[in-house]
Every structure is written in structure tokens, then in C-alpha cells.
Amino acid sequence: MKTEVRGNGGSISLQNPSLFNAPRDSITGALKGCLGSLDGACIEKLLLHCASALENNDVTLAQQVMWVLNNVASAVGDTNQRLASWFLRALISRASRFCPTAMNFYGGSMFQRRLMTVTELAGYVDLIPWHRYGFCVSNSAIFKAVEGCRKVHILDFSITHCMQWPTLIDALAKKPDGPPSLRITVLSFRPPVPPLLNVSKEEVGHRLANFAKFRDVPFEFHVKDDHCLSNESLAVQFESLLTQLTRSKLDLREDEALVVNCQNWLRYLSDETKVNTAHGFSLRDAFLDIIKGLNPRITIVVDEDSDLSAPSLSSRITACFNYLWIPFDALETFLPKDSSQRLEYESDIGHKIENIIGFEGFQRIERLESGAKLSQRMQNAGFLSLPFCEDTINEVKSLLDEHASGWGMKREEHMLVLTWKGHNSVFATAWAHDRVG
């Protein structure tokens, strides 16, 4: 029998007569009790049973648990059903790689992402405050940090195609003493993760330049060619990138205030010391050491507040399931079940789930660490935490007023954290170090 599991990301075909024909009475009592249940705790239990079976090469049990999951998962159901459907896809994807004799996977990656227009990307980041929160906190902190500076240079390490900068340009244009000149440098290399855009970085820069001209802000935009080869692993490409982050190659100028902006980016740098540098640093620590040496006025790090880097598959499933329900639940509050916007946004989360669950080694590029771990890493690297001012707090409150009432904000040590129904979702941090004047 051939069974297809369908969703917005495509279909997965599995050919194994026993997989979805597993008799109900052959499944252990613990699993039988979950059949037809939509309870999140029960779904998590099933996922962990499946993970344990795969880690122990118990193909029969893995197939039986997937059969049960298939009965409760739905790409157009409620929050738990939709989340379960993406975890099921990820587990099938993993099984197809690590248990090829048990099941066959057809069609390459499950998640064939389309390229968005700039207008579509704007709607994407406006959907929930997942990205806009980081933009808001960062821009406010940058605005304060460069007060009194006549020239500003931003090194932008992010995955959102410069969507945050029009707001900053607009704020700089309104300064009573006139705007400073603004120079933004981005990398030609970007991790191959959603959202994806249908225009080049050069075109993005051209559009920003037109907007800055309209707002009378002196502006330059540069794309740094890092000479990375697309057929190399992500770790190798990042290692090549680090060699390009020098004062001369970045054209840093003494009369400019340097800002380093990291939005949902640091997680893609490998944290395995064996991968890379001559000094025994991980790529992540090596990057921070290089950035500190550039002597920025402020370094911003924003990312999702969860630890998804554990070597154990079961640990990653627990952390991932108990964290990524947040965007699924938030979308449930205001979009219909068959909304194309909702399905597309969820499929991008599914892309992340597949990588976290379905891959190992250098192919697993989603290695997120929590805000607390990141803060300790920054301190170990010699950075000093910068507090966020009341103006920043007020701007974030105004932003959250535009969204569902479940969104909130709280201060934690070194961090300002976006919350959903009291659960941490995105952290924002700002850093300087003792060589900043």
C-alpha cells in the first residue's frame, strides 16, 4: 500500500505494507490511549516514543507510532494537529535517511519554498510580531547608541532581507539636528532558510537608497562578496566568511560609529570546536571574537528563546515541540484554518522542524541556543550588557498593541523578551565592551 501524507509543503510517499496497516491491538497500551486524542502532552509522548524507536533502530515500533500519529495529525486541524503533522513529516524524513530499508522517501526535500515579492515579505513579517519585535528593539537601541554621531555604519547579519531598516531610516530623518549619514553592509552569502525573496540584495539596496533619498538621509549600501561556494557545507561557507570580516575588507572608517546587528543569524554558525578554527574556537565564538575586535559601538543579538541544539533526538523533540507551538497557537487566534498566509507561515516553521529532527551532523544547521546561554557566551567573549531604555520599552508596547492580546514583554537578566501567553518566544540583547569609547 502506498500512503501519502499531504500538507502545504508537499507530499511524502511511504511504501511499506505494514506502516499504516498496523493493527490497533498491536500497539502498546500506553500508545492506544492516545488514538484520536488531540492533547498536546499525548502527542509529545507519541513523538518521544517514535524518537526512541528510531534511535534504537526499532523499525516496527516506529512504524506503529507513526500510524497512531497519522490518525491525530492534520495540516488543517487545530494547533496540536497542525504541529503534529509537521513533526510526523520530519520523523518520516529522518526515517527515510536513517532506516532506508524500512521506508522510502520520494521527491527530495519536503519543503519547496517559493520566492516572495517584497510586498509579500512585508506582509509576512507583519503577520505576528516574531520578526518585528526584534526590528523594533534593535532600531530603538541603535538610535540611542548613535546619538550625536554624524556617520553610522551598520554591519547587518540577518535573514530578513533588510526589512527592518526603513523604520530606522525614517527615525533618523526626524532627528531635530538632522540625520547622520548611514552606510549598511550586508553579506552576499545567506543561510538557505525561509523567508526567501525574489529580488537580489543589490535590488534591496537600491530600494533602500530610494527610500533614504526620499527621506533626505545620506545613504550607502554595500554587498560584501564573501567568495563562498554554494556547493560547500554551511560550516565551510561560514568559515570562509570569517576570513572576510577584517577592518580593511569591510572598509571600516574611523569617523563612523560601527553597529553590528545579528537577527536570527548566530544560530547558523557551528558551535562544534572540532569543525574549524586554528585556535580551537567554535565558529560561533570565533565570530564574536572577530566582532569584538572591530570595536563596534553596539552589538545587537536577537533570536528565538529556546535551546534546540541538544545531541539527543528525544531532547530536541521535547524542546522543539514545547517551543514551536507558540507561533502555531498565535496564528490560530486570528487566521482561518485554510488561510494561505497561515499555511505558508507554518510551512516555514515546518522547514525548521525538519532540519532539527530529520538531520544530523553538518546537515543540521538549526542549532538555536537560549537567550540565557547566548548571554553567558557574550559575557565569556568579553562583551558587557547594555540595558534597554524606557523609550525602547514604550516602542515595543506600542508595537504589541497592534497584535493579539496574548503577546507580552518582560525583562530578564541581560534580555528583553517577547512572550506569548507568558511563554518566552524571542529574546533581544544589546552589548558593548570595555574598548568602546
Side-chain angles (χ1 to χ4, degrees):
M1 181 186 74
K2 179 177 179 180
T3 302
E4 287 191 339
V5 181
R6 293 190 174 273
N8 191 48
S11 65
I12 307 160
S13 298
L14 293 151
Q15 287 188 327
N16 189 303
S18 66
L19 179 54
F20 290 100
N21 288 332
R24 185 171 178 178
D25 57 8
S26 71
I27 301 175
T28 64
L31 298 182
K32 277 196 231 178
C34 290
L35 190 63
S37 170
L38 306 182
D39 176 73
C42 188
I43 291 173
E44 181 186 351
K45 182 179 179 181
L46 286 167
L47 294 172
L48 291 175
H49 272 287
C50 190
S52 176
L54 291 174
E55 288 181 312
N56 293 317
N57 295 315
D58 188 339
V59 174
T60 300
L61 179 59
Q63 290 174 335
Q64 291 173 345
V65 179
M66 287 181 186
W67 177 78
V68 179
L69 281 167
N70 188 60
N71 280 273
V72 299
S74 170
V76 291
D78 65 19
T79 296
N80 287 325
Q81 290 176 297
R82 297 166 87 102
L83 189 57
S85 73
W86 290 109
F87 272 86
L88 177 59
R89 288 169 171 79
L91 286 167
I92 292 172
S93 176
R94 182 185 181 89
S96 73
R97 293 180 178 89
F98 294 97
C99 304
T101 59
M103 49 192 73
N104 297 314
F105 172 65
Y106 297 92
S109 174
M110 291 183 290
F111 307 101
Q112 300 299 325
R113 302 301 305 125
R114 73 178 183 86
L115 302 180
M116 294 183 180
T117 67
V118 173
T119 301
E120 288 171 334
L121 181 60
Y124 178 94
V125 300
D126 283 345
L127 202 56
I128 59 176
W130 207 261
H131 293 292
R132 286 186 67 200
Y133 170 79
F135 299 169
C136 181
V137 175
S138 300
N139 287 345
S140 181
I142 292 168
F143 186 88
K144 181 177 184 295
V146 301
E147 189 68 37
C149 301
R150 299 313 305 161
K151 295 182 178 181
V152 178
H153 183 190
I154 298 175
L155 294 182
D156 184 25
F157 302 94
S158 67
I159 64 168
T160 46
H161 309 284
C162 297
M163 287 298 295
Q164 79 180 84
W165 301 128
T167 303
L168 180 64
I169 291 170
D170 190 60
L172 294 175
K174 296 174 182 176
K175 287 174 64 69
D177 56 345
S181 66
L182 177 62
R183 188 158 65 106
I184 295 177
T185 297
V186 301
L187 305 174
S188 60
F189 165 69
R190 176 187 180 277
V193 296
L196 303 176
L197 192 61
N198 71 345
V199 300
S200 68
K201 291 178 174 62
E202 288 78 9
E203 174 62 20
V204 169
H206 178 69
R207 293 179 184 223
L208 283 175
N210 284 340
F211 180 71
K213 183 178 181 181
F214 173 72
R215 300 297 286 123
D216 293 323
V217 175
F219 183 78
E220 294 180 41
F221 186 87
H222 299 281
V223 179
K224 180 73 184 71
D225 186 357
D226 36 59
H227 307 291
C228 294
L229 299 176
S230 58
N231 60 341
E232 298 284 2
S233 71
L234 196 64
V236 171
Q237 292 185 69
F238 270 122
E239 191 169 0
S240 173
L241 160 68
L242 296 191
T243 67
Q244 305 299 311
L245 301 182
T246 66
R247 298 191 68 84
S248 60
K249 291 180 179 179
L250 292 170
D251 188 25
L252 301 190
R253 303 167 190 172
E254 293 298 327
D255 61 345
E256 290 179 328
L258 179 64
V259 172
V260 175
N261 182 67
C262 295
Q263 299 271 336
N264 300 84
W265 191 84
L266 202 56
R267 74 175 84 162
Y268 298 108
L269 287 167
S270 170
D271 195 30
E272 298 179 8
T273 56
K274 64 182 180 182
V275 170
N276 91 110
T277 65
H279 302 291
F281 290 167
S282 70
L283 285 175
R284 204 169 296 184
D285 288 329
F287 171 77
L288 293 177
D289 191 61
I290 290 170
I291 292 303
K292 187 178 67 171
L294 299 178
N295 197 28
R297 180 172 289 265
I298 188 172
T299 298
I300 305 287
V301 180
V302 174
D303 218 321
E304 298 168 359
D305 195 12
S306 182
D307 190 348
L308 304 178
S309 61
S312 160
L313 174 61
S314 295
S315 296
R316 292 203 304 274
I317 283 179
T318 296
C320 192
F321 187 80
N322 285 286
Y323 175 66
L324 288 178
W325 71 271
I326 295 174
F328 278 84
D329 192 55
L331 292 169
E332 174 81 7
T333 62
F334 70 99
L335 287 177
K337 297 186 184 303
D338 60 350
S339 161
S340 59
Q341 269 191 310
R342 179 176 177 179
L343 290 168
E344 185 160 54
Y345 203 102
E346 289 175 344
S347 70
D348 283 353
I349 304 169
H351 181 285
K352 187 181 305 181
I353 294 170
E354 184 196 19
N355 190 261
I356 294 167
I357 305 305
F359 291 87
E360 296 293 347
F362 70 88
Q363 291 182 311
R364 180 160 58 86
I365 64 173
E366 291 282 350
R367 295 176 180 268
L368 181 67
E369 64 183 346
S370 67
K373 280 191 174 182
L374 180 279
S375 295
Q376 187 59 58
R377 184 187 297 275
M378 297 296 290
Q379 292 175 84
N380 292 345
F383 288 85
L384 304 175
S385 178
L386 294 174
F388 293 104
C389 67
E390 287 305 313
D391 285 345
T392 298
I393 303 298
N394 291 333
E395 286 186 38
V396 173
K397 288 179 178 177
S398 295
L399 167 66
L400 298 184
D401 285 343
E402 301 173 15
H403 293 274
S405 59
W407 294 105
M409 173 187 58
K410 65 181 179 181
R411 299 192 200 208
E412 293 189 354
E413 187 176 12
H414 310 302
M415 299 188 296
L416 198 60
V417 183
L418 175 69
T419 63
W420 172 253
K421 297 181 178 178
H423 298 270
N424 287 19
S425 58
V426 179
F427 71 84
T429 59
W431 303 89
H433 61 94
D434 54 13
R435 282 164 48 191
V436 176

